[in-house]
Amino acid sequence: MTSNLTTVSYIGAAILFILSLGGLANPETARRGNLLGMIGMLIAVLATVLGPRVSAEGIPYVVAALVVGGAVGLFAAKKVQMTQMPELVALNRPDFVGDRRVWRYAARAESTRFRL
């Protein structure tokens, strides 16, 4: 995937994320909002994995991160009761327990080795 196509994919994903937030504001449109957010995330992940900045050596790390994150999310979704929905939303936030800082540090440390 070329750099221009990756950029266009990221812009499309960002638009879908914004539209998903608008859909989540109303209970009648929440399903559509969730669907738009999921499609946007799929586009963003595919653009990242297939983009020019991830080499073949880095793809197993991306897949491993997706598997671990999916397993944690699935476990949390099965464990949390419907009355604890705010807690589930807090668990799924990208800044939960500072993991954003950990991933940023790991990406910097490995970027030269695996050309991420």
Side-chain angles (χ1 to χ4, degrees):
M1 182 180 289
T2 66
S3 179
N4 289 337
L5 185 57
T6 302
T7 302
V8 169
S9 299
Y10 286 144
I11 292 171
I15 291 169
L16 288 172
F17 291 145
I18 292 167
L19 291 174
S20 75
L21 290 175
L24 293 175
N26 189 348
E28 288 85 27
T29 60
R31 286 186 187 264
R32 184 178 64 91
N34 278 329
L35 180 63
L36 291 174
M38 288 187 279
I39 293 170
M41 183 54 70
L42 177 66
I43 291 171
V45 168
L46 288 176
T48 300
V49 173
L50 300 176
R53 297 190 64 182
V54 176
S55 65
E57 295 90 17
I59 291 178
Y61 291 99
V62 173
V63 172
L66 288 172
V67 169
V68 170
V72 170
L74 181 63
F75 174 76
K78 296 285 184 185
K79 187 84 172 155
V80 174
Q81 300 295 320
M82 284 300 290
T83 57
Q84 298 172 314
M85 203 47 70
E87 289 87 346
L88 180 62
V89 171
L91 282 173
N92 290 326
R93 285 184 49 103
D95 59 350
F96 179 69
V97 192
D99 65 347
R100 183 172 35 189
R101 288 182 293 273
V102 172
W103 286 111
R104 190 178 305 141
Y105 172 77
R108 258 189 262 146
E110 297 294 326
S111 65
T112 57
R113 182 174 173 201
F114 294 108
R115 288 177 268 150
L116 291 174

